[in-house]
Each structure stands twice: as C-alpha cells, then as structure tokens.
Amino acid sequence: MKIAVDAMGGDHAPAEIVRGSVEAAREYRQEIILVGDREKILAELGQSPPDHIEVFHAPEIITMEEQPAVAVRKKKQSSIVQAVRLVKEGEAAALVSAGSTGAAMAASLLGLGRIQGIDRPAIASILPRRGGTTVLLDAGANVDCKPHHLLQFAIMGSLYAEKILGVPRPRVGLLNVGEEETKGNELTLATFPLLRQARINFIGNVEGRDIFAGTVDVVVCDGFVGNIVLKAGEGLATALLGMIKEEVTRSWLAKMGTAMAIPALKCFERRIDYAEYGGAPLLGVNGVSIICHGSSTARAIKNAIKRAREAVETGLVSAIRSSIEDIAEHQKVGIS
C-alpha cells in the first residue's frame, strides 16, 4: 500500500510535510509518494530519498487565495490534483493534504467521485472529550444541508467511529438547541425521524456541551454549525492553555506546585492538540482522502498518514458504500 502526500500543501510546506512523511515511513514502514516540486522535496530529503519514500514531480501549487474549483480544473499539474490522480489510477491507496481545504475537496470530488447514494461528502473531525474522542461531521464541507444529507453524515460518522476509532456501537446524536424531540429548526426537526429509523445507535438530540462530556460518540450537524463548533473548540483549547500558564506563573507557590503537575499538564496539552489526531477524512468520496489543518506540523502529518492507512486497511469506503446501499434498498429513504 502506498499513500500519496501533497508535499506542497500547508503553511509549513514542504519542510514539515516531508519531515512528517519520513517519520511515518520509518515508524510505520509505510510506503509514501511525496507529490510536488521534485527539487524542493529533494532539498528537504538531502538529495537521497530514504527507504519507503519516493518522489513524484508536480510543478504547480494551488494557493489558499485561489478559487478551489477553478484552480483544480486549471492547474492539472498541481500537487493536490496529481496526488488525487495517483489514487484514482491505483498507484496509491489514499492521499493526505494540508493545503487548501477547498482545493483538496474539489480535487477529491472531481478526481475520485462520490460513493453512489451520497449527495454530499462530509469532513469528519475528531474532537477530544472526557474519556476519549467525539467525531463531529460535517465540519465545514456543506454549509447548507437537507435532512437526508444529515442522515448520510450519521451513517458515515458511525462507521468511522466504529472502524477507525474502535468504538463498538457508537452513540450518534443530532446537534440541537435542546434534547427534546420537538426542539430545533426546520432542518433538525425533519432529520430527527430519519435518524431514529436508521440502522445506527441514535440517542436523540444532543447539545453543544455534550460534545466534550463523553455522552456521545458521533455528533451530526450541517457544515456551517460544525465549522463554528470546530473553530470555537480550537480557540477555547488554546485559550485554556494560555490561562493555565498565566496562573501557574503568578506566584512562587504556584510555580512549585506546577513542577509536580508538569507530566499531567503535558498529557493534557497533547490530548487537546489537533496534531495528535492527524487529519480529518472527507467521507463520501470514492477513495480515502485525509484533509489536514493548514498549519500542520510533522507530527500532525505523521498521524494523518496513520489515519489514512487505517482507513484503507479497515475497508472504510467499502463499508460506507454497503451501508448506503442497504439504507436505500431497505428503508426507502430519499437518497439520490
């Protein structure tokens, strides 16, 4: 199995992307294709690719400022487009990119296509919570959704939590302004009965606080709400760390106490660091596509490659395809 990595995507490309890929190749013995400007990649590798690493030349780069769909169609030799092509043609089993999210989505959709029965692929982000993690989707791919889109997200998110995160019979909740079935807007009110009838462990409506409380494993919402939740969570995590550091340096007594708590504080910092979870899969496309944070470090890239490998090994795409087909056939839900 080979994984194609967009070496030119991200705020710290190609240095951190290449370093993370090399670490993944060494630690996991994973075959990796670094896609991008050969000269720049080799400069980071020291002119000699290490074991399990090969370089595929792609001279163009899609920047954050470009309109994604237009750039993907125009720049056929860009690193993200060529990485997708390698997956489509079977040269690689999955792709990882920390570049423009829009470009990665557009390239994946145009190059790999959607799984039959999936209207809108969704970004499934992993958020830390008490006792483990929570899968949130959609995290920003679709700002406007219909009820059957959320049903598809729920099915895909449940399968991801089960197959990749190892959660048996994941608890799925619909993000809402209250737990009662009668609460919500038109979208959530119409979605609730669809989720209740689906072959998933639907526990009902959940509120924002439940995401981090450990009461739910998969939270479903439209991409507008999901992206706000994701960014608010990232901001809160950063603020909490900053406030803790401020408080522990206020007095010599606090500093003494902190010395004893350093191991626990480091574990806490690691748990809330997005790099620990690598990247977010774009679920619903006909292949494994992992989208990483734009500021991804080498550790984030290494972990994203691990996620991509797990998705391939567990047959995640095939499982989603089978479940959607089953829903369409047996429950007669309006999936087109």
Side-chain angles (χ1 to χ4, degrees):
M1 186 205 328
K2 294 181 180 180
I3 294 176
V5 178
D6 174 10
M8 312 311 292
D11 299 340
H12 308 299
E16 289 294 299
I17 312 301
V18 171
R19 190 158 67 89
S21 298
V22 170
E23 290 176 5
R26 288 173 177 166
E27 186 170 335
Y28 311 135
R29 300 185 68 82
Q30 174 63 53
E31 298 291 332
I32 293 171
I33 306 174
L34 287 171
V35 185
D37 188 304
R38 181 184 297 276
E39 188 173 318
K40 292 181 179 178
I41 294 173
L42 289 178
E44 297 295 334
L45 292 172
Q47 300 302 316
S48 179
D51 292 341
H52 309 297
I53 295 280
E54 61 180 278
V55 179
F56 184 93
H57 183 56
E60 296 180 311
I61 301 173
I62 295 178
T63 66
M64 296 291 186
E65 293 75 25
E66 294 181 87
Q67 208 287 326
V70 174
V72 165
R73 289 187 172 90
K74 182 179 178 181
K75 293 186 173 181
K76 300 294 186 182
Q77 295 303 311
S78 64
S79 53
I80 182 59
V81 171
Q82 288 301 307
V84 169
R85 186 183 65 78
L86 290 174
V87 175
K88 180 180 180 180
E89 296 181 358
E91 295 296 322
L95 70 101
V96 171
S97 176
S100 163
T101 298
M105 286 174 50
S108 296
L109 274 169
L110 290 171
L112 303 176
R114 295 172 296 174
I115 293 174
Q116 187 173 0
I118 294 291
D119 288 323
R120 304 277 188 86
I123 298 174
S125 288
I126 301 175
L127 300 177
R129 51 114 162 139
R130 294 178 61 183
T133 57
T134 299
V135 180
L136 173 75
L137 71 169
D138 178 27
N142 310 280
V143 294
D144 295 305
C145 294
K146 296 180 179 178
H148 70 275
H149 297 151
L150 298 194
L151 169 61
Q152 294 170 5
F153 298 169
I155 295 168
M156 295 190 294
S158 181
L159 286 168
Y160 184 75
E162 179 182 352
K163 289 187 167 292
I164 303 302
L165 304 181
V167 180
R169 205 161 180 265
R171 299 162 296 175
V172 180
L174 177 63
L175 189 59
N176 210 328
V177 294
E179 296 180 355
E180 297 83 359
E181 182 178 346
T182 55
K183 285 193 173 180
N185 55 20
E186 291 183 6
L187 176 61
T188 57
L189 288 170
T191 300
F192 191 97
L194 297 183
L195 298 185
R196 186 169 52 190
Q197 296 167 15
R199 296 181 180 180
I200 56 175
N201 183 19
F202 179 54
I203 64 172
N205 290 327
V206 296
E207 297 178 89
R209 61 191 173 196
D210 293 308
I211 296 173
F212 307 101
T215 56
V216 64
D217 302 303
V218 179
V219 172
V220 179
C221 58
D222 63 58
F224 184 87
V225 172
N227 193 260
I228 291 174
V229 169
L230 179 65
K231 298 297 174 58
E234 290 177 352
L236 178 60
T238 301
L240 280 174
L241 283 175
M243 287 187 283
I244 290 172
K245 290 175 181 178
E246 286 177 1
E247 292 301 322
V248 300
T249 56
R250 285 188 184 277
S251 68
W252 66 268
L253 189 61
K255 291 179 182 178
M256 289 179 61
T258 303
M260 299 178 63
I262 284 177
L265 289 173
K266 286 185 176 179
C267 287
F268 171 70
E269 185 173 10
R270 189 163 55 249
R271 282 183 64 182
I272 64 175
D273 185 0
Y274 72 86
E276 191 69 16
Y277 307 100
L282 181 62
L283 301 180
V285 293
N286 207 13
V288 176
S289 177
I290 306 293
I291 298 175
C292 304
H293 202 292
S295 59
S296 287
T297 60
R299 184 160 67 93
I301 296 300
K302 183 188 76 170
N303 287 329
I305 290 170
K306 181 181 179 182
R307 294 290 182 197
R309 175 174 175 159
E310 291 170 343
V312 174
E313 291 177 337
T314 58
L316 178 63
V317 174
S318 296
I320 291 173
R321 187 182 297 113
S322 297
S323 293
I324 293 298
E325 289 174 353
D326 185 64
I327 287 289
E329 181 177 352
H330 294 98
Q331 300 194 94
K332 307 302 180 183
V333 174
I335 299 176
S336 59

